[in-house]
Amino acid sequence: MKIAVLPGDGIGAEIIAQALNVLKRLDLSLELEEAPVGGAGYDASGDPLPEATLRLAKEADAILFGAVGGWQYDQLPRAKRPEQAILGLRKHLGLFANLRPAQVYAELASASALKPEVVAGLDILIIRELTGDIYFGQPRGIQKLADGQREGFDTMRYSEGEIRRIAHVGFQAALKRGRKLCSVDKANVLETSQLWRDVVIEVGKEYPDVELSHMYVDNCAMQLVRTPKQFDVIVTGNMFGDILSDEASMLTGSIGMLPSASLDANNKGLYEPIHGSAPDIAGKDVANPLATILSAAMMLRYSLHQAGAADRVEAAVKRVLKDGYRTADIFEAGAKKVGTKEMGAAVVAALG
Ligand code: IPM
Ligand code: MG
């Protein structure tokens, strides 16, 4: 099994190193090949998604991705910015289904900004469509109006086929969990959302065992902090999912805890923590590597079909949290404060 390892920028290299230490401990025959991406790709070859990196990603069985972005790249033209690498990978590889689970570990319930009783035991899965919507819709641009001022515009669009395939992912996931699916849209205002809702309802007829509900995105943003445990699986479009998944991450105490999988139609996937490159703490050995380690566990489960190994990694993460190890982002008085490397080493040790 070949894995493309793309650490990227900022804290990317540090957190990926810890995930690799965990993977290497599992007695699986994994071929790990590294390549630059994002700002690192731009520095190496003038392109955030170098051709060789894209080729490697295409031929690998799975991709383990760190994070991209950094202040030194902020002034580059959009096509050269680090974020284009992740958007390009998603598009080129057809990674349309983004799975972002948000679980509250019992030990971290008090690390959440919400009251422990609101989040304790929370286990939700946000499924975000990842290759359509206003992120990729054409036309887009900045144009000159007749009166001389500039106007920016983007196009929100979804075809029936795009909605149908992500709806199936949502229903299938719900079947394996609590059998509840909440589809999030803005059908009271947007045509795109009206079609989204109509198609999700149609697809829902094939899943009589799943309880389907619909919610407007603004209400969902509110419900997520009011009673997050009402949700099981949420399915939504690219832009709404981007926003709601950041919000959901905070229910768990830290964005440093959330893994993600981005899958194509055959379950080939790219796995990344949902947090960014955090340039402010890069190189300081303080970043939380758990989201990346948990992303590696998702990779084992979904693309490499090694459910046993995935269980082992997830159990090891629970173990270190139980044993009181905490990086700065989840630190509480009385816990053992550790850096990136120590946290990674603790997980390796807990693998047994
Ligand atoms: C994410 C990120 C990306 C997105 C950025 C880096 C392009 O915020 O994965 O959620 O907007 O999708
Ligand atoms: Mg985001």
Side-chain angles (χ1 to χ4, degrees):
M1 292 173 289
K2 183 164 178 171
I3 298 170
V5 179
L6 314 181
D9 309 320
I11 59 173
E14 294 164 76
I15 54 178
I16 285 285
Q18 297 316 311
L20 293 182
N21 287 343
V22 169
L23 287 173
K24 285 174 190 161
R25 193 39 107 77
L26 293 172
D27 308 317
L28 300 168
S29 56
L30 301 177
E31 189 190 328
L32 305 163
E33 192 173 331
E34 210 166 301
V37 76
Y42 176 79
D43 290 340
S45 71
D47 185 349
L49 182 53
E51 242 180 73
T53 302
L54 180 58
R55 205 176 324 119
L56 171 66
K58 280 185 173 161
E59 69 190 32
D61 298 300
I63 301 143
L64 188 61
F65 189 94
V68 293
W71 48 266
Q72 65 273 50
Y73 310 107
D74 285 349
Q75 301 312 317
L76 291 171
R78 182 174 304 283
K80 297 284 182 196
R81 282 191 216 157
E83 291 78 7
Q84 293 306 310
I86 184 66
L87 295 172
L89 281 166
R90 290 170 182 171
K91 197 69 181 173
H92 285 297
L93 299 179
L95 306 171
F96 69 93
N98 186 214
L99 276 45
R100 297 189 164 187
Q103 281 180 21
V104 173
Y105 294 89
E107 296 77 15
L108 293 185
S110 56
S112 170
L114 299 190
K115 295 193 190 92
E117 64 267 26
V118 175
V119 296
L122 178 86
D123 179 3
I124 63 181
L125 174 62
I126 297 187
I127 296 181
R128 167 188 176 194
E129 199 289 331
L130 207 54
T131 52
D133 203 353
I134 195 164
Y135 268 59
F136 295 98
Q138 293 292 340
R140 57 183 283 163
I142 298 174
Q143 65 188 9
K144 255 287 176 22
L145 295 178
D147 67 1
Q149 65 169 327
R150 288 168 306 159
E151 174 190 60
F153 60 101
D154 296 273
T155 306
M156 177 179 270
R157 57 195 321 155
Y158 264 125
S159 71
E160 275 187 83
E162 287 175 306
I163 302 167
R164 195 167 287 122
R165 65 181 182 177
I166 195 70
H168 278 291
V169 175
F171 283 106
Q172 295 285 349
L175 275 180
K176 292 191 197 127
R177 296 173 39 107
R179 301 188 166 211
K180 273 170 46 176
L181 180 66
C182 180
S183 169
V184 173
D185 61 37
K186 189 70 187 173
N188 51 344
V189 178
L190 303 172
E191 301 299 329
T192 320
S193 279
Q194 185 58 59
L195 181 69
W196 175 281
R197 188 174 285 216
D198 293 347
V199 173
V200 171
I201 290 172
E202 247 174 68
V203 174
K205 294 190 180 129
E206 297 174 41
Y207 298 90
D209 295 336
V210 176
E211 185 194 314
L212 172 65
S213 62
H214 304 272
M215 200 178 269
Y216 297 137
V217 61
D218 51 346
N219 185 26
C220 182
M222 186 269 278
Q223 297 293 339
L224 269 175
V225 289
R226 194 182 76 110
T227 44
K229 285 189 257 181
Q230 71 183 279
F231 297 106
D232 176 22
V233 181
I234 290 174
V235 64
T236 190
N238 203 346
M239 168 108 126
F240 299 155
D242 178 46
I243 299 165
L244 294 176
S245 59
D246 262 34
E247 186 190 5
S249 76
M250 262 304 148
L251 304 173
T252 72
S254 170
I255 198 166
M257 293 297 302
L258 263 74
S260 78
S262 305
L263 305 176
D264 74 3
N266 305 311
N267 278 350
K268 169 166 172 173
L270 178 150
Y271 299 82
E272 57 172 332
I274 88 154
H275 61 70
S277 57
D280 52 321
I281 57 165
K284 297 185 178 158
D285 193 42
V286 297
N288 185 346
L290 294 181
T292 314
I293 291 171
L294 290 168
S295 299
M298 290 187 91
M299 173 175 86
L300 292 165
R301 190 180 303 286
Y302 290 100
S303 291
L304 306 181
H305 310 291
Q306 301 288 331
D311 288 343
R312 259 180 90 195
V313 174
E314 285 163 0
V317 168
K318 286 203 179 110
R319 179 83 248 163
V320 301
L321 291 173
K322 203 170 201 131
D323 290 346
Y325 292 93
R326 299 283 187 277
T327 41
D329 56 313
I330 50 177
F331 182 73
E332 287 172 290
K336 293 176 204 146
K337 192 159 185 180
V338 291
T340 311
K341 288 181 188 152
E342 267 179 292
M343 184 59 113
V347 175
V348 170
L351 284 172

